[in-house]
Amino acid sequence: MRTGKEGIRAIATTVRRGQRYTEANRALAARTAKQLDIPNVPRGNDSLEELRAAYGADAVLVARRGVLTLVTAEGELFFHPGMAHLRMKNLLLGHGDHLVSALGLVEGMNVLDCTLGTGADAIVESFAVGEQGAVTALESNPLIAAVIADGLAHATGDNYEMHAAMRRIVVHHADALTFLRTAETDSCDVIYFDPMFRRPLHESAGMNALRALADMRALTEETIAEARRVARCRVVMKERRGSAEFDRLGFDTIMGGKYSRIAYGVMKL
Ligand SMILES: C[S@@+](CC[C@H](N)C(=O)[O-])C[C@H]1O[C@@H](n2cnc3c(N)ncnc32)[C@H](O)[C@@H]1O
């Protein structure tokens, strides 16, 4: 069974021995394999390299301590909230956050995040809109979607606020345009896109593991047109500062840190 990017073949397994997590790991590997329609392979004493060779797999989803890690030749992808903790602290201290400002988030808003990735932005959005709000996040790569959705649902947050914000995010394995086409007009407040940069910033180690699997397509005008129909207040896209993508897709307002290498294109509706 091939899954994910064209040609990516994946299997699910557990760590060799999980001590008190053994049963949880077995159940998680089995559930993940079923959900993704990939083989669930008993780990035995084999190394991951041996399993990869035996099953001709490019990627191995490993259930470890009750959460998933995706192991590929390019590196490991596992759920980690990244800078979300610091960003939430800044919000609590009233220092703000560039994404929250670009999206114009206030409590109770309904957010559609079309590019889940590591989930860090979605956590900040979920914290900003609070219990009365909602964040739905889409990810087109099934392996990334599985690992990050599992982490958001089962990993322990750094503190109660993060934990609660993580649990409130609803993840769908879906392509943004496909999802938007069937979404009702004005059915959410804001829509956010953080596509893989046309030219990467070679700075983030976490992103390198993601990059190996991520959907690299540029956004299309049709996707933006659908987003404008579905959102009530704003459509926002993150890109490199000065990227030609902002003009090409019609983002007329640029926000973000003055000295930052990234910027947010904002369309107010
Ligand atoms: C730059 S990352 C997003 C990072 C994210 N904002 C975060 O906080 O980690 C882009 C992610 O969006 C996914 N993606 C790209 N195009 C997509 C599309 N059309 N629909 C759904 N997901 C998409 C990629 O596979 C990748 O995981």
Side-chain angles (χ1 to χ4, degrees):
M1 157 61 55
R2 288 186 183 277
T3 190
K5 271 191 165 175
E6 189 59 39
I8 294 276
R9 189 188 289 262
I11 56 175
T13 190
T14 63
V15 281
R16 280 188 177 125
R17 277 179 292 124
Q19 288 117 19
R20 67 198 173 97
Y21 289 102
T22 303
E23 264 323 300
N25 286 338
R26 279 199 194 122
L28 177 58
R31 197 167 69 232
T32 306
K34 191 165 179 220
Q35 178 197 330
L36 293 172
D37 193 18
I38 59 176
N40 178 22
V41 174
R43 177 67 185 266
N45 270 325
D46 294 334
S47 69
L48 290 180
E49 285 64 37
E50 284 165 340
L51 281 186
R52 277 227 296 263
Y55 287 84
D58 307 298
V60 186
L61 282 157
V62 185
R64 185 184 281 164
R65 293 169 180 252
V67 289
L68 289 175
T69 298
L70 182 65
V71 182
T72 67
E74 288 79 9
E76 296 195 355
L77 175 72
F78 49 89
F79 171 76
H80 185 276
M83 296 294 282
H85 178 82
L86 188 64
R87 292 170 64 189
M88 285 171 54
K89 208 166 150 192
N90 281 338
L91 285 168
L92 281 170
L93 291 170
H95 297 162
D97 176 86
H98 291 304
L99 172 62
V100 170
S101 305
L103 288 167
L105 296 183
V106 292
E107 278 192 27
M109 273 189 163
N110 186 330
V111 181
L112 177 62
D113 183 327
C114 288
T115 47
L116 172 72
T118 69
D121 281 338
I123 294 173
V124 175
E125 292 153 13
S126 175
F127 174 66
V129 300
E131 277 176 26
Q132 304 305 316
V135 175
T136 302
L138 313 180
E139 171 56 56
S140 56
N141 180 280
L143 300 176
I144 299 173
V147 170
I148 305 302
D150 171 68
L152 289 169
H154 299 114
T156 312
D158 291 4
N159 52 40
Y160 174 75
E161 279 85 7
M162 176 177 286
H163 201 78
M166 282 161 49
R167 297 294 189 269
R168 289 196 297 268
I169 300 167
V170 175
V171 175
H172 293 292
H173 161 222
D175 164 62
L177 178 58
T178 312
F179 187 93
L180 286 166
R181 276 184 185 142
T182 57
E184 292 199 6
T185 300
D186 291 339
S187 53
C188 65
D189 293 304
V190 295
I191 297 188
Y192 175 52
F193 296 98
D194 178 11
M196 300 303 286
F197 289 170
R198 297 299 92 210
R199 289 191 301 128
L201 294 171
H202 290 289
E203 269 179 0
S204 155
M207 271 291 163
N208 292 343
L210 188 90
R211 186 163 274 279
L213 292 162
D215 185 337
M216 304 298 285
R217 290 172 301 162
L219 290 182
T220 64
E221 287 169 30
E222 184 188 1
T223 306
I224 298 299
E226 284 291 346
R228 291 181 64 103
R229 178 182 66 76
V230 173
R232 276 187 290 268
C233 307
R234 290 187 190 188
V235 176
V236 171
M237 178 182 72
K238 177 161 124 187
E239 249 294 349
R240 289 176 75 111
R241 183 167 288 282
S243 167
E245 289 296 274
F246 291 125
D247 264 357
R248 179 178 75 82
L249 296 164
F251 288 91
D252 46 10
T253 305
I254 305 296
M255 294 177 68
K258 209 169 162 190
Y259 302 107
S260 173
R261 294 169 73 185
I262 59 136
Y264 297 95
V266 180
M267 285 177 190
K268 291 187 183 161
L269 306 174

